Amino acid sequence: MSRLDQQIAFLNEADKLKSILRATTLADNSRAENSAEHSWHLTLYALVLSDQAGPDVDINLVIKMLILHDLVEIDAGDNPIFGDVDVAAMEAQEKIAADRIFGLLPDDIAGSLRPIWEEFEAAETPSAQFAKALDRFQPPMLNLASGGGSWTDYNVTEDMIAARVGTKIARGAPGLWEYARARIKAFFAGIG
């Protein structure tokens, strides 16, 4: 295969992300969001909310992380944050998926993109922590906009949100967690 054939093969494979449905609904609650829409929306979150990032965060790198982070769902599927998931098995499936999907690319491109995906997954750098925070912040914002969305489907409580997404949001974007926590608290107070 030529270099261009490899690049196009990867891009055509990435198109499959449009078919992976997530648990989170669109803000208007009309249908489930797909993983490609989620990735695009997160890149927009990074651009618009860059003022919430710490001084050591590289927003251009964050955008790259967010556009790449869910490509593995083409093979591994989406695992809802409030679903019953074997985390170790999921991580193993995602690594195999990353091997295959990034392996479609020419070596030099794969060698530059795969480490970005790995950095996001490890969430050890300020940029990856901010990217993870946005990845955890966007679904609650959609659930709030849609009147509960997937929280209703999974019988989610305020404490579950704090435990499963709050710590990651607070680690990478404390101001966003303060914002979300107040709105989540008000939401659950209103349905109680």
Side-chain angles (χ1 to χ4, degrees):
M1 259 208 277
S2 75
R3 178 179 178 82
L4 190 53
D5 285 332
Q6 289 177 292
Q7 291 166 305
I8 299 302
F10 171 84
L11 293 170
N12 286 340
E13 189 67 14
D15 186 70
K16 293 178 180 175
L17 201 57
K18 296 173 187 175
S19 299
I20 306 300
L21 296 180
R22 296 173 45 81
T24 306
T25 64
L26 301 181
D28 68 3
N29 206 25
S30 63
R31 64 174 174 82
E33 169 185 58
N34 70 49
S35 288
E37 292 167 328
H38 171 69
S39 295
W40 161 80
H41 206 201
L42 286 176
T43 63
L44 193 56
Y45 267 62
L47 287 172
V48 172
L49 299 174
S50 63
D51 62 339
Q52 297 294 317
D56 296 330
V57 172
D58 176 347
I59 291 298
N60 289 326
L61 178 57
V62 168
I63 290 169
K64 289 177 184 179
M65 287 178 186
L66 294 173
I67 208 70
L68 295 171
H69 83 288
D70 276 343
L71 284 174
V72 295
E73 291 183 3
I74 293 167
D75 290 354
D78 177 58
N79 291 291
I81 193 80
F82 297 108
D84 186 19
V85 177
D86 178 340
V87 175
M90 176 193 69
E91 288 173 353
Q93 288 176 329
E94 289 181 349
K95 185 183 178 315
I96 292 167
D99 291 343
R100 185 189 75 75
I101 294 165
F102 288 109
L104 296 170
L105 286 163
D107 290 342
D108 62 317
I109 299 173
S112 68
L113 297 184
R114 173 72 184 261
I116 294 170
W117 177 80
E118 290 172 352
E119 183 178 346
F120 173 84
E121 288 298 309
E124 294 173 355
T125 64
S127 295
Q129 290 166 2
F130 184 67
K132 281 278 188 187
L134 293 176
D135 187 39
R136 296 298 186 258
F137 180 72
Q138 183 253 11
M141 294 301 99
L142 290 179
N143 280 328
L144 288 167
S146 67
S150 63
W151 291 340
T152 305
D153 299 336
Y154 288 90
N155 297 314
V156 173
T157 66
E158 183 180 349
D159 289 341
M160 289 170 66
I161 296 168
R164 294 197 188 176
V165 302
T167 54
K168 286 195 169 111
I169 298 171
R171 182 177 184 206
L176 293 180
W177 177 236
E178 288 176 30
Y179 179 90
R181 184 176 48 198
R183 280 142 188 85
I184 292 164
K185 185 174 189 62
F187 173 82
F188 281 96
I191 63 171

mmCIF file of all heavy atoms in Angstrom, residues 117-167:
data_model
loop_
_atom_site.group_PDB
_atom_site.id
_atom_site.type_symbol
_atom_site.label_atom_id
_atom_site.label_comp_id
_atom_site.label_asym_id
_atom_site.label_seq_id
_atom_site.Cartn_x
_atom_site.Cartn_y
_atom_site.Cartn_z
ATOM 1 N N TRP A 117 -2.542 9.623 22.158
ATOM 2 C CA TRP A 117 -3.618 8.818 22.734
ATOM 3 C C TRP A 117 -3.161 8.226 24.078
ATOM 4 O O TRP A 117 -3.904 8.257 25.066
ATOM 5 C CB TRP A 117 -4.034 7.704 21.769
ATOM 6 C CG TRP A 117 -5.074 6.800 22.327
ATOM 7 C CD1 TRP A 117 -6.419 7.020 22.393
ATOM 8 C CD2 TRP A 117 -4.846 5.520 22.939
ATOM 9 N NE1 TRP A 117 -7.050 5.954 23.006
ATOM 10 C CE2 TRP A 117 -6.111 5.017 23.343
ATOM 11 C CE3 TRP A 117 -3.719 4.739 23.181
ATOM 12 C CZ2 TRP A 117 -6.258 3.787 23.971
ATOM 13 C CZ3 TRP A 117 -3.863 3.511 23.804
ATOM 14 C CH2 TRP A 117 -5.131 3.054 24.188
ATOM 15 N N GLU A 118 -1.926 7.710 24.126
ATOM 16 C CA GLU A 118 -1.412 7.110 25.354
ATOM 17 C C GLU A 118 -1.284 8.150 26.475
ATOM 18 O O GLU A 118 -1.574 7.857 27.633
ATOM 19 C CB GLU A 118 -0.069 6.433 25.090
ATOM 20 C CG GLU A 118 -0.211 5.187 24.238
ATOM 21 C CD GLU A 118 1.109 4.591 23.788
ATOM 22 O OE1 GLU A 118 2.181 5.206 24.003
ATOM 23 O OE2 GLU A 118 1.068 3.499 23.185
ATOM 24 N N GLU A 119 -0.857 9.362 26.121
ATOM 25 C CA GLU A 119 -0.747 10.427 27.127
ATOM 26 C C GLU A 119 -2.116 10.761 27.705
ATOM 27 O O GLU A 119 -2.265 10.946 28.914
ATOM 28 C CB GLU A 119 -0.113 11.675 26.508
ATOM 29 C CG GLU A 119 0.094 12.796 27.496
ATOM 30 C CD GLU A 119 0.772 14.023 26.905
ATOM 31 O OE1 GLU A 119 1.329 13.945 25.789
ATOM 32 O OE2 GLU A 119 0.720 15.082 27.569
ATOM 33 N N PHE A 120 -3.129 10.824 26.844
ATOM 34 C CA PHE A 120 -4.490 11.066 27.328
ATOM 35 C C PHE A 120 -4.909 9.960 28.286
ATOM 36 O O PHE A 120 -5.436 10.224 29.374
ATOM 37 C CB PHE A 120 -5.475 11.143 26.149
ATOM 38 C CG PHE A 120 -6.914 11.218 26.578
ATOM 39 C CD1 PHE A 120 -7.487 12.441 26.915
ATOM 40 C CD2 PHE A 120 -7.697 10.073 26.663
ATOM 41 C CE1 PHE A 120 -8.813 12.523 27.335
ATOM 42 C CE2 PHE A 120 -9.021 10.140 27.067
ATOM 43 C CZ PHE A 120 -9.577 11.367 27.409
ATOM 44 N N GLU A 121 -4.699 8.725 27.895
ATOM 45 C CA GLU A 121 -5.107 7.590 28.733
ATOM 46 C C GLU A 121 -4.412 7.603 30.085
ATOM 47 O O GLU A 121 -5.038 7.324 31.108
ATOM 48 C CB GLU A 121 -4.827 6.267 28.011
ATOM 49 C CG GLU A 121 -5.754 5.991 26.844
ATOM 50 C CD GLU A 121 -7.210 5.880 27.258
ATOM 51 O OE1 GLU A 121 -7.518 5.122 28.198
ATOM 52 O OE2 GLU A 121 -8.051 6.564 26.653
ATOM 53 N N ALA A 122 -3.131 7.934 30.114
ATOM 54 C CA ALA A 122 -2.374 7.940 31.370
ATOM 55 C C ALA A 122 -2.803 9.087 32.281
ATOM 56 O O ALA A 122 -2.736 8.957 33.511
ATOM 57 C CB ALA A 122 -0.880 8.021 31.071
ATOM 58 N N ALA A 123 -3.217 10.197 31.711
ATOM 59 C CA ALA A 123 -3.696 11.371 32.458
ATOM 60 C C ALA A 123 -2.721 11.820 33.540
ATOM 61 O O ALA A 123 -3.116 12.146 34.659
ATOM 62 C CB ALA A 123 -5.086 11.110 33.042
ATOM 63 N N GLU A 124 -1.450 11.862 33.193
ATOM 64 C CA GLU A 124 -0.440 12.283 34.163
ATOM 65 C C GLU A 124 0.062 13.699 33.919
ATOM 66 O O GLU A 124 0.583 14.323 34.836
ATOM 67 C CB GLU A 124 0.729 11.289 34.154
ATOM 68 C CG GLU A 124 0.327 9.920 34.660
ATOM 69 C CD GLU A 124 1.412 8.875 34.494
ATOM 70 O OE1 GLU A 124 2.466 9.176 33.896
ATOM 71 O OE2 GLU A 124 1.200 7.732 34.951
ATOM 72 N N THR A 125 -0.061 14.211 32.695
ATOM 73 C CA THR A 125 0.422 15.553 32.384
ATOM 74 C C THR A 125 -0.715 16.564 32.560
ATOM 75 O O THR A 125 -1.897 16.204 32.507
ATOM 76 C CB THR A 125 0.925 15.621 30.929
ATOM 77 O OG1 THR A 125 -0.186 15.393 30.038
ATOM 78 C CG2 THR A 125 2.018 14.582 30.663
ATOM 79 N N PRO A 126 -0.378 17.831 32.766
ATOM 80 C CA PRO A 126 -1.436 18.841 32.887
ATOM 81 C C PRO A 126 -2.364 18.872 31.671
ATOM 82 O O PRO A 126 -3.583 19.024 31.834
ATOM 83 C CB PRO A 126 -0.653 20.158 33.037
ATOM 84 C CG PRO A 126 0.643 19.754 33.652
ATOM 85 C CD PRO A 126 0.956 18.408 33.037
ATOM 86 N N SER A 127 -1.819 18.713 30.473
ATOM 87 C CA SER A 127 -2.668 18.731 29.276
ATOM 88 C C SER A 127 -3.626 17.545 29.261
ATOM 89 O O SER A 127 -4.808 17.696 28.944
ATOM 90 C CB SER A 127 -1.806 18.739 28.010
ATOM 91 O OG SER A 127 -1.062 19.948 27.928
ATOM 92 N N ALA A 128 -3.134 16.367 29.613
ATOM 93 C CA ALA A 128 -3.990 15.171 29.633
ATOM 94 C C ALA A 128 -5.033 15.280 30.747
ATOM 95 O O ALA A 128 -6.182 14.863 30.570
ATOM 96 C CB ALA A 128 -3.144 13.913 29.811
ATOM 97 N N GLN A 129 -4.659 15.834 31.863
ATOM 98 C CA GLN A 129 -5.623 15.991 32.957
ATOM 99 C C GLN A 129 -6.728 16.969 32.575
ATOM 100 O O GLN A 129 -7.894 16.747 32.904
ATOM 101 C CB GLN A 129 -4.902 16.441 34.230
ATOM 102 C CG GLN A 129 -4.042 15.333 34.804
ATOM 103 C CD GLN A 129 -3.066 15.817 35.856
ATOM 104 O OE1 GLN A 129 -3.018 16.992 36.215
ATOM 105 N NE2 GLN A 129 -2.251 14.900 36.361
ATOM 106 N N PHE A 130 -6.378 18.028 31.855
ATOM 107 C CA PHE A 130 -7.404 18.965 31.401
ATOM 108 C C PHE A 130 -8.292 18.290 30.356
ATOM 109 O O PHE A 130 -9.527 18.429 30.390
ATOM 110 C CB PHE A 130 -6.764 20.243 30.846
ATOM 111 C CG PHE A 130 -7.776 21.284 30.454
ATOM 112 C CD1 PHE A 130 -8.563 21.907 31.416
ATOM 113 C CD2 PHE A 130 -7.954 21.642 29.128
ATOM 114 C CE1 PHE A 130 -9.507 22.871 31.070
ATOM 115 C CE2 PHE A 130 -8.891 22.605 28.765
ATOM 116 C CZ PHE A 130 -9.674 23.219 29.733
ATOM 117 N N ALA A 131 -7.689 17.533 29.436
ATOM 118 C CA ALA A 131 -8.476 16.811 28.423
ATOM 119 C C ALA A 131 -9.430 15.822 29.086
ATOM 120 O O ALA A 131 -10.608 15.738 28.716
ATOM 121 C CB ALA A 131 -7.544 16.098 27.440
ATOM 122 N N LYS A 132 -8.951 15.076 30.080
ATOM 123 C CA LYS A 132 -9.813 14.133 30.817
ATOM 124 C C LYS A 132 -10.940 14.874 31.531
ATOM 125 O O LYS A 132 -12.077 14.400 31.579
ATOM 126 C CB LYS A 132 -9.005 13.334 31.844
ATOM 127 C CG LYS A 132 -8.208 12.202 31.293
ATOM 128 C CD LYS A 132 -9.037 10.971 31.098
ATOM 129 C CE LYS A 132 -8.123 9.811 30.733
ATOM 130 N NZ LYS A 132 -8.858 8.614 30.377
ATOM 131 N N ALA A 133 -10.608 16.037 32.101
ATOM 132 C CA ALA A 133 -11.624 16.827 32.794
ATOM 133 C C ALA A 133 -12.735 17.217 31.819
ATOM 134 O O ALA A 133 -13.920 17.099 32.146
ATOM 135 C CB ALA A 133 -11.001 18.069 33.422
ATOM 136 N N LEU A 134 -12.369 17.653 30.629
ATOM 137 C CA LEU A 134 -13.383 18.020 29.639
ATOM 138 C C LEU A 134 -14.198 16.804 29.213
ATOM 139 O O LEU A 134 -15.419 16.900 29.041
ATOM 140 C CB LEU A 134 -12.721 18.665 28.412
ATOM 141 C CG LEU A 134 -12.066 20.023 28.656
ATOM 142 C CD1 LEU A 134 -11.360 20.490 27.389
ATOM 143 C CD2 LEU A 134 -13.072 21.063 29.131
ATOM 144 N N ASP A 135 -13.532 15.658 29.074
ATOM 145 C CA ASP A 135 -14.220 14.422 28.692
ATOM 146 C C ASP A 135 -15.251 14.016 29.737
ATOM 147 O O ASP A 135 -16.288 13.447 29.417
ATOM 148 C CB ASP A 135 -13.185 13.314 28.485
ATOM 149 C CG ASP A 135 -13.775 12.036 27.914
ATOM 150 O OD1 ASP A 135 -14.663 12.110 27.039
ATOM 151 O OD2 ASP A 135 -13.325 10.949 28.340
ATOM 152 N N ARG A 136 -14.980 14.328 30.990
ATOM 153 C CA ARG A 136 -15.915 14.017 32.068
ATOM 154 C C ARG A 136 -16.932 15.135 32.291
ATOM 155 O O ARG A 136 -18.005 14.897 32.833
ATOM 156 C CB ARG A 136 -15.162 13.739 33.381
ATOM 157 C CG ARG A 136 -14.262 12.520 33.341
ATOM 158 C CD ARG A 136 -15.049 11.246 33.078
ATOM 159 N NE ARG A 136 -14.241 10.067 33.175
ATOM 160 C CZ ARG A 136 -13.767 9.384 32.139
ATOM 161 N NH1 ARG A 136 -14.027 9.788 30.912
ATOM 162 N NH2 ARG A 136 -13.046 8.305 32.322
ATOM 163 N N PHE A 137 -16.602 16.366 31.898
ATOM 164 C CA PHE A 137 -17.465 17.520 32.117
ATOM 165 C C PHE A 137 -18.595 17.605 31.083
ATOM 166 O O PHE A 137 -19.727 17.967 31.427
ATOM 167 C CB PHE A 137 -16.602 18.800 32.060
ATOM 168 C CG PHE A 137 -17.346 20.084 32.259
ATOM 169 C CD1 PHE A 137 -17.830 20.447 33.509
ATOM 170 C CD2 PHE A 137 -17.534 20.963 31.205
ATOM 171 C CE1 PHE A 137 -18.497 21.655 33.702
ATOM 172 C CE2 PHE A 137 -18.192 22.171 31.386
ATOM 173 C CZ PHE A 137 -18.674 22.512 32.640
ATOM 174 N N GLN A 138 -18.313 17.259 29.850
ATOM 175 C CA GLN A 138 -19.306 17.418 28.782
ATOM 176 C C GLN A 138 -20.563 16.563 28.993
ATOM 177 O O GLN A 138 -21.674 17.074 28.857
ATOM 178 C CB GLN A 138 -18.651 17.133 27.423
ATOM 179 C CG GLN A 138 -19.555 17.336 26.233
ATOM 180 C CD GLN A 138 -20.007 16.032 25.585
ATOM 181 O OE1 GLN A 138 -19.819 14.941 26.145
ATOM 182 N NE2 GLN A 138 -20.606 16.137 24.428
ATOM 183 N N PRO A 139 -20.465 15.284 29.349
ATOM 184 C CA PRO A 139 -21.695 14.502 29.537
ATOM 185 C C PRO A 139 -22.642 15.064 30.613
ATOM 186 O O PRO A 139 -23.850 15.154 30.362
ATOM 187 C CB PRO A 139 -21.190 13.096 29.877
ATOM 188 C CG PRO A 139 -19.862 13.029 29.199
ATOM 189 C CD PRO A 139 -19.276 14.405 29.377
ATOM 190 N N PRO A 140 -22.142 15.487 31.786
ATOM 191 C CA PRO A 140 -23.085 16.087 32.734
ATOM 192 C C PRO A 140 -23.752 17.349 32.195
ATOM 193 O O PRO A 140 -24.926 17.607 32.487
ATOM 194 C CB PRO A 140 -22.220 16.399 33.965
ATOM 195 C CG PRO A 140 -21.076 15.473 33.876
ATOM 196 C CD PRO A 140 -20.822 15.280 32.414
ATOM 197 N N MET A 141 -23.016 18.123 31.417
ATOM 198 C CA MET A 141 -23.625 19.329 30.851
ATOM 199 C C MET A 141 -24.765 18.951 29.901
ATOM 200 O O MET A 141 -25.817 19.592 29.890
ATOM 201 C CB MET A 141 -22.576 20.182 30.119
ATOM 202 C CG MET A 141 -21.513 20.789 31.023
ATOM 203 S SD MET A 141 -22.176 21.861 32.325
ATOM 204 C CE MET A 141 -22.170 20.769 33.757
ATOM 205 N N LEU A 142 -24.566 17.888 29.122
ATOM 206 C CA LEU A 142 -25.635 17.416 28.230
ATOM 207 C C LEU A 142 -26.785 16.815 29.037
ATOM 208 O O LEU A 142 -27.958 17.026 28.713
ATOM 209 C CB LEU A 142 -25.101 16.411 27.219
ATOM 210 C CG LEU A 142 -24.174 16.976 26.144
ATOM 211 C CD1 LEU A 142 -23.702 15.853 25.208
ATOM 212 C CD2 LEU A 142 -24.844 18.082 25.346
ATOM 213 N N ASN A 143 -26.463 16.071 30.088
ATOM 214 C CA ASN A 143 -27.525 15.489 30.921
ATOM 215 C C ASN A 143 -28.347 16.578 31.599
ATOM 216 O O ASN A 143 -29.572 16.464 31.693
ATOM 217 C CB ASN A 143 -26.931 14.529 31.957
ATOM 218 C CG ASN A 143 -26.617 13.178 31.367
ATOM 219 O OD1 ASN A 143 -27.287 12.702 30.464
ATOM 220 N ND2 ASN A 143 -25.567 12.552 31.868
ATOM 221 N N LEU A 144 -27.690 17.625 32.058
ATOM 222 C CA LEU A 144 -28.429 18.735 32.660
ATOM 223 C C LEU A 144 -29.311 19.420 31.624
ATOM 224 O O LEU A 144 -30.473 19.745 31.903
ATOM 225 C CB LEU A 144 -27.464 19.737 33.295
ATOM 226 C CG LEU A 144 -26.779 19.271 34.577
ATOM 227 C CD1 LEU A 144 -25.626 20.196 34.938
ATOM 228 C CD2 LEU A 144 -27.773 19.155 35.719
ATOM 229 N N ALA A 145 -28.782 19.629 30.426
ATOM 230 C CA ALA A 145 -29.543 20.300 29.367
ATOM 231 C C ALA A 145 -30.735 19.475 28.911
ATOM 232 O O ALA A 145 -31.770 20.024 28.528
ATOM 233 C CB ALA A 145 -28.632 20.599 28.175
ATOM 234 N N SER A 146 -30.611 18.149 28.997
ATOM 235 C CA SER A 146 -31.677 17.272 28.499
ATOM 236 C C SER A 146 -32.647 16.824 29.586
ATOM 237 O O SER A 146 -33.477 15.946 29.355
ATOM 238 C CB SER A 146 -31.059 16.051 27.808
ATOM 239 O OG SER A 146 -30.385 15.231 28.747
ATOM 240 N N GLY A 147 -32.530 17.375 30.763
ATOM 241 C CA GLY A 147 -33.454 17.017 31.838
ATOM 242 C C GLY A 147 -33.110 15.723 32.543
ATOM 243 O O GLY A 147 -33.980 15.085 33.136
ATOM 244 N N GLY A 148 -31.880 15.315 32.482
ATOM 245 C CA GLY A 148 -31.446 14.091 33.174
ATOM 246 C C GLY A 148 -30.813 13.075 32.255
ATOM 247 O O GLY A 148 -29.956 12.311 32.680
ATOM 248 N N GLY A 149 -31.254 13.030 30.998
ATOM 249 C CA GLY A 149 -30.627 12.147 30.003
ATOM 250 C C GLY A 149 -30.322 10.765 30.523
ATOM 251 O O GLY A 149 -31.179 10.086 31.094
ATOM 252 N N SER A 150 -29.072 10.361 30.374
ATOM 253 C CA SER A 150 -28.669 9.004 30.747
ATOM 254 C C SER A 150 -28.648 8.782 32.254
ATOM 255 O O SER A 150 -28.615 7.637 32.702
ATOM 256 C CB SER A 150 -27.299 8.672 30.146
ATOM 257 O OG SER A 150 -26.300 9.524 30.668
ATOM 258 N N TRP A 151 -28.659 9.837 33.041
ATOM 259 C CA TRP A 151 -28.709 9.637 34.493
ATOM 260 C C TRP A 151 -29.960 8.868 34.876
ATOM 261 O O TRP A 151 -29.934 8.023 35.761
ATOM 262 C CB TRP A 151 -28.694 10.968 35.232
ATOM 263 C CG TRP A 151 -27.401 11.729 35.149
ATOM 264 C CD1 TRP A 151 -26.167 11.217 34.836
ATOM 265 C CD2 TRP A 151 -27.215 13.111 35.389
ATOM 266 N NE1 TRP A 151 -25.234 12.210 34.870
ATOM 267 C CE2 TRP A 151 -25.843 13.393 35.209
ATOM 268 C CE3 TRP A 151 -28.063 14.149 35.748
ATOM 269 C CZ2 TRP A 151 -25.308 14.664 35.371
ATOM 270 C CZ3 TRP A 151 -27.530 15.416 35.916
ATOM 271 C CH2 TRP A 151 -26.168 15.669 35.733
ATOM 272 N N THR A 152 -31.059 9.138 34.215
ATOM 273 C CA THR A 152 -32.309 8.438 34.487
ATOM 274 C C THR A 152 -32.181 6.964 34.108
ATOM 275 O O THR A 152 -32.584 6.079 34.864
ATOM 276 C CB THR A 152 -33.467 9.093 33.703
ATOM 277 O OG1 THR A 152 -33.500 10.481 34.030
ATOM 278 C CG2 THR A 152 -34.795 8.462 34.033
ATOM 279 N N ASP A 153 -31.590 6.708 32.941
ATOM 280 C CA ASP A 153 -31.433 5.333 32.458
ATOM 281 C C ASP A 153 -30.589 4.471 33.387
ATOM 282 O O ASP A 153 -30.817 3.269 33.504
ATOM 283 C CB ASP A 153 -30.798 5.325 31.056
ATOM 284 C CG ASP A 153 -31.634 6.053 30.026
ATOM 285 O OD1 ASP A 153 -32.860 6.173 30.224
ATOM 286 O OD2 ASP A 153 -31.062 6.517 29.020
ATOM 287 N N TYR A 154 -29.591 5.086 34.024
ATOM 288 C CA TYR A 154 -28.655 4.335 34.858
ATOM 289 C C TYR A 154 -28.904 4.545 36.357
ATOM 290 O O TYR A 154 -28.078 4.132 37.180
ATOM 291 C CB TYR A 154 -27.209 4.717 34.506
ATOM 292 C CG TYR A 154 -26.782 4.157 33.166
ATOM 293 C CD1 TYR A 154 -26.974 4.881 31.994
ATOM 294 C CD2 TYR A 154 -26.224 2.890 33.074
ATOM 295 C CE1 TYR A 154 -26.599 4.368 30.764
ATOM 296 C CE2 TYR A 154 -25.843 2.367 31.850
ATOM 297 C CZ TYR A 154 -26.034 3.114 30.698
ATOM 298 O OH TYR A 154 -25.666 2.599 29.490
ATOM 299 N N ASN A 155 -30.029 5.175 36.716
ATOM 300 C CA ASN A 155 -30.355 5.431 38.129
ATOM 301 C C ASN A 155 -29.194 6.084 38.869
ATOM 302 O O ASN A 155 -28.798 5.664 39.965
ATOM 303 C CB ASN A 155 -30.773 4.131 38.836
ATOM 304 C CG ASN A 155 -32.028 3.554 38.243
ATOM 305 O OD1 ASN A 155 -32.993 4.273 38.005
ATOM 306 N ND2 ASN A 155 -32.014 2.265 37.978
ATOM 307 N N VAL A 156 -28.642 7.112 38.263
ATOM 308 C CA VAL A 156 -27.473 7.792 38.796
ATOM 309 C C VAL A 156 -27.884 8.731 39.932
ATOM 310 O O VAL A 156 -28.925 9.384 39.865
ATOM 311 C CB VAL A 156 -26.764 8.574 37.663
ATOM 312 C CG1 VAL A 156 -25.634 9.432 38.202
ATOM 313 C CG2 VAL A 156 -26.253 7.603 36.610
ATOM 314 N N THR A 157 -27.039 8.788 40.941
ATOM 315 C CA THR A 157 -27.252 9.697 42.062
ATOM 316 C C THR A 157 -26.186 10.797 42.030
ATOM 317 O O THR A 157 -25.154 10.671 41.358
ATOM 318 C CB THR A 157 -27.134 8.955 43.408
ATOM 319 O OG1 THR A 157 -25.776 8.507 43.562
ATOM 320 C CG2 THR A 157 -28.096 7.774 43.480
ATOM 321 N N GLU A 158 -26.451 11.826 42.796
ATOM 322 C CA GLU A 158 -25.487 12.926 42.914
ATOM 323 C C GLU A 158 -24.142 12.411 43.424
ATOM 324 O O GLU A 158 -23.074 12.807 42.920
ATOM 325 C CB GLU A 158 -26.059 13.984 43.856
ATOM 326 C CG GLU A 158 -25.211 15.204 44.009
ATOM 327 C CD GLU A 158 -25.822 16.221 44.961
ATOM 328 O OE1 GLU A 158 -26.996 16.096 45.353
ATOM 329 O OE2 GLU A 158 -25.084 17.151 45.319
ATOM 330 N N ASP A 159 -24.154 11.517 44.391
ATOM 331 C CA ASP A 159 -22.911 10.961 44.935
ATOM 332 C C ASP A 159 -22.151 10.152 43.893
ATOM 333 O O ASP A 159 -20.910 10.184 43.861
ATOM 334 C CB ASP A 159 -23.199 10.084 46.159
ATOM 335 C CG ASP A 159 -23.626 10.902 47.373
ATOM 336 O OD1 ASP A 159 -23.367 12.127 47.388
ATOM 337 O OD2 ASP A 159 -24.235 10.317 48.292
ATOM 338 N N MET A 160 -22.860 9.412 43.054
ATOM 339 C CA MET A 160 -22.208 8.636 41.997
ATOM 340 C C MET A 160 -21.485 9.565 41.021
ATOM 341 O O MET A 160 -20.365 9.276 40.594
ATOM 342 C CB MET A 160 -23.218 7.775 41.236
ATOM 343 C CG MET A 160 -23.761 6.611 42.035
ATOM 344 S SD MET A 160 -25.174 5.797 41.209
ATOM 345 C CE MET A 160 -24.396 5.107 39.763
ATOM 346 N N ILE A 161 -22.111 10.676 40.687
ATOM 347 C CA ILE A 161 -21.484 11.638 39.763
ATOM 348 C C ILE A 161 -20.220 12.204 40.393
ATOM 349 O O ILE A 161 -19.160 12.268 39.746
ATOM 350 C CB ILE A 161 -22.473 12.754 39.381
ATOM 351 C CG1 ILE A 161 -23.652 12.178 38.602
ATOM 352 C CG2 ILE A 161 -21.765 13.840 38.564
ATOM 353 C CD1 ILE A 161 -24.819 13.132 38.429
ATOM 354 N N ALA A 162 -20.312 12.592 41.648
ATOM 355 C CA ALA A 162 -19.142 13.141 42.335
ATOM 356 C C ALA A 162 -17.993 12.136 42.349
ATOM 357 O O ALA A 162 -16.837 12.495 42.101
ATOM 358 C CB ALA A 162 -19.510 13.556 43.754
ATOM 359 N N ALA A 163 -18.303 10.883 42.622
ATOM 360 C CA ALA A 163 -17.267 9.858 42.727
ATOM 361 C C ALA A 163 -16.673 9.477 41.372
ATOM 362 O O ALA A 163 -15.457 9.317 41.249
ATOM 363 C CB ALA A 163 -17.842 8.612 43.402
ATOM 364 N N ARG A 164 -17.513 9.338 40.370
ATOM 365 C CA ARG A 164 -17.020 8.820 39.087
ATOM 366 C C ARG A 164 -16.509 9.874 38.120
ATOM 367 O O ARG A 164 -15.669 9.570 37.285
ATOM 368 C CB ARG A 164 -18.096 7.971 38.415
ATOM 369 C CG ARG A 164 -18.392 6.717 39.205
ATOM 370 C CD ARG A 164 -19.122 5.695 38.401
ATOM 371 N NE ARG A 164 -19.542 4.600 39.253
ATOM 372 C CZ ARG A 164 -20.273 3.597 38.851
ATOM 373 N NH1 ARG A 164 -20.689 3.552 37.608
ATOM 374 N NH2 ARG A 164 -20.606 2.645 39.684
ATOM 375 N N VAL A 165 -17.030 11.071 38.198
ATOM 376 C CA VAL A 165 -16.553 12.103 37.282
ATOM 377 C C VAL A 165 -16.003 13.329 38.000
ATOM 378 O O VAL A 165 -15.130 14.012 37.471
ATOM 379 C CB VAL A 165 -17.624 12.528 36.246
ATOM 380 C CG1 VAL A 165 -18.099 11.355 35.440
ATOM 381 C CG2 VAL A 165 -18.779 13.259 36.875
ATOM 382 N N GLY A 166 -16.493 13.600 39.181
ATOM 383 C CA GLY A 166 -16.090 14.802 39.894
ATOM 384 C C GLY A 166 -14.605 14.883 40.167
ATOM 385 O O GLY A 166 -13.986 15.941 39.989
ATOM 386 N N THR A 167 -14.008 13.784 40.590
ATOM 387 C CA THR A 167 -12.583 13.819 40.928
ATOM 388 C C THR A 167 -11.723 14.110 39.696
ATOM 389 O O THR A 167 -10.752 14.860 39.790
ATOM 390 C CB THR A 167 -12.140 12.494 41.577
ATOM 391 O OG1 THR A 167 -12.496 11.404 40.726
ATOM 392 C CG2 THR A 167 -12.767 12.309 42.941
#
